[in-house]
Amino acid sequence: MAPVAWDLLCRPKKCGGLNIKGCKPWNVASVGKLLWQLVTNKEVLWVRWVHGVYMKICRSIWDHNPPADCSWYWKKINGLKRNMAHWYNGSTYTLTGNGAYSVSSSYNAMLGHMSRSWEMNLVWSGVMLPRHIFVLWLANQQKLQTKERLLQMHIPITEDVGCCMCALEVLESQQHLFGECCWVKTMRGALTRWSDINIPDMALPETLKWIRRHWKQFRKEVASTMIGAIVYHTWQARNWKIFRQINLSMDFYIGQIKKELTERPRMHAESRRARQCPLLIQRLCS
């Protein structure tokens, strides 16, 4: 079972995806370089051969009609040119400034326009641990396999559907687990007092949007790193409790997050954006 659709994974990171290249469109974009060589009449052997065999009369690839007895690859190239014609102005490739063919530019053009999610700059912060980034990315996409999501996908649940992290006896949803659960509220309050980074209690996507609109860049990154650590360790504590019957104390997880929030910013303490927040660095690293 794939928790995230393939089309979403193939989006750029700034648009909410993982920037994984889709095999089919990437292959088509790569083959597009052959078309570019024909359009610009590059002095390469295979272009000269094509002009000598298939394009003796019609010298323009746009006006050329492949003969019925031509090779399979020549039919495919001519079939692709209809979808690529708008990339050209005459014989000039317009997706790059210098007119040189770019597989990446062609691939992105095939994906089409996608709205940018500015919160992704916080999710993919260099301050955050990679494992925290991935879990936070899943949580921001509402794709973590909570009991509510399993029920929505018609997957039977043998145990109690309530939240195992608190005694409220409510359905375990992502909104509850990372926003309303007393476990998260207690952890968030302790870390807020320790770090002096005050973030209002909101759902996860709204929290990231709020962080993006406030503070200087490095403080934003540290705040999102704290949120990512809370999400990761809450999800870990939940899974350990359900699947391993391990119930560690709140103080253990808070100590882990404090350690991570001390070590990661210290690695970036000499960067230009970190020097704009000296009091924050001093508080976290002292």
Side-chain angles (χ1 to χ4, degrees):
M1 180 184 63
V4 183
W6 181 251
D7 290 343
L8 178 58
L9 295 179
C10 292
R11 292 181 183 179
K13 288 182 178 180
K14 64 182 180 181
C15 299
L18 294 182
N19 203 29
I20 297 175
K21 304 302 183 186
C23 295
K24 183 177 180 179
W26 184 263
N27 184 55
V28 171
S30 300
V31 173
K33 188 168 185 178
L34 301 178
L35 179 66
W36 172 75
Q37 290 178 340
L38 289 169
V39 172
T40 56
N41 198 20
K42 283 291 181 181
E43 284 296 324
V44 293
L45 181 60
W46 90 273
V47 173
R48 292 165 60 186
W49 179 84
V50 164
H51 281 290
V53 175
Y54 292 131
M55 299 175 63
K56 293 180 180 179
I57 300 175
C58 181
R59 309 297 291 181
S60 171
I61 185 63
W62 305 119
D63 301 326
H64 171 74
N65 292 317
D69 60 345
C70 68
S71 64
W72 175 87
Y73 88 90
W74 185 243
K75 291 179 181 178
K76 289 297 182 180
I77 291 177
N78 279 270
L80 291 175
K81 70 182 182 182
R82 301 185 187 92
N83 299 326
M84 300 179 178
H86 62 283
W87 299 349
Y88 293 87
N89 182 11
S91 61
T92 304
Y93 180 75
T94 60
L95 297 183
T96 56
N98 59 3
Y101 188 82
S102 167
V103 177
S104 296
S105 298
S106 299
Y107 175 81
N108 291 331
M110 293 175 64
L111 293 181
H113 174 73
M114 290 176 287
S115 59
R116 180 167 184 172
S117 176
W118 293 98
E119 289 73 37
M120 289 299 103
N121 293 337
L122 300 177
V123 173
W124 295 102
S125 166
V127 181
M128 199 180 307
L129 285 167
R131 61 178 181 269
H132 295 185
I133 290 175
F134 185 68
V135 174
L136 181 62
W137 177 80
L138 281 175
N140 190 59
Q141 301 290 344
Q142 306 290 318
K143 298 300 184 181
L144 289 178
Q145 304 296 328
T146 60
K147 295 175 183 177
E148 179 189 48
R149 179 162 168 76
L150 294 177
L151 290 174
Q152 291 173 350
M153 294 188 293
H154 306 289
I155 298 176
I157 301 176
T158 56
E159 68 271 10
D160 181 23
V161 297
C163 176
C164 66
M165 304 303 294
C166 63
L168 296 179
E169 297 183 358
V170 296
L171 176 64
E172 183 198 78
S173 64
Q174 191 167 296
Q175 181 177 351
H176 169 78
L177 195 59
F178 302 125
E180 302 167 356
C181 181
C182 59
W183 164 277
V184 166
K185 288 185 176 181
T186 302
M187 179 183 291
R188 207 164 174 171
L191 293 171
T192 295
R193 291 188 296 272
W194 171 76
S195 64
D196 195 29
I197 299 177
N198 297 305
I199 304 173
D201 290 333
M202 293 182 290
L204 184 58
E206 285 70 30
T207 299
L208 293 176
K209 290 178 182 178
W210 188 91
I211 293 174
R212 182 177 64 84
R213 295 193 298 265
H214 296 79
W215 304 321
K216 295 180 179 180
Q217 180 60 31
F218 190 71
R219 194 176 184 89
K220 292 179 183 180
E221 293 186 49
V222 173
S224 62
T225 298
M226 185 173 75
I227 294 298
I230 291 173
V231 169
Y232 174 84
H233 285 288
T234 299
W235 189 243
Q236 183 187 69
R238 176 260 190 197
N239 289 337
W240 282 13
K241 191 170 185 177
I242 293 177
F243 301 112
R244 299 187 183 181
Q245 288 74 51
I246 297 176
N247 190 10
L248 299 177
S249 67
M250 171 74 69
D251 292 339
F252 170 81
Y253 289 104
I254 292 176
Q256 284 291 106
I257 294 175
K258 286 182 178 180
K259 181 180 178 182
E260 292 162 357
L261 286 178
T262 299
E263 292 176 349
R264 297 295 292 185
R266 182 180 290 138
M267 296 170 57
H268 300 265
E270 298 303 320
S271 64
R272 181 181 300 178
R273 64 185 192 281
R275 289 199 295 268
Q276 295 177 354
C277 304
L279 295 179
L280 177 61
I281 292 294
Q282 182 179 0
R283 186 178 185 88
L284 294 177
C285 300
S286 59

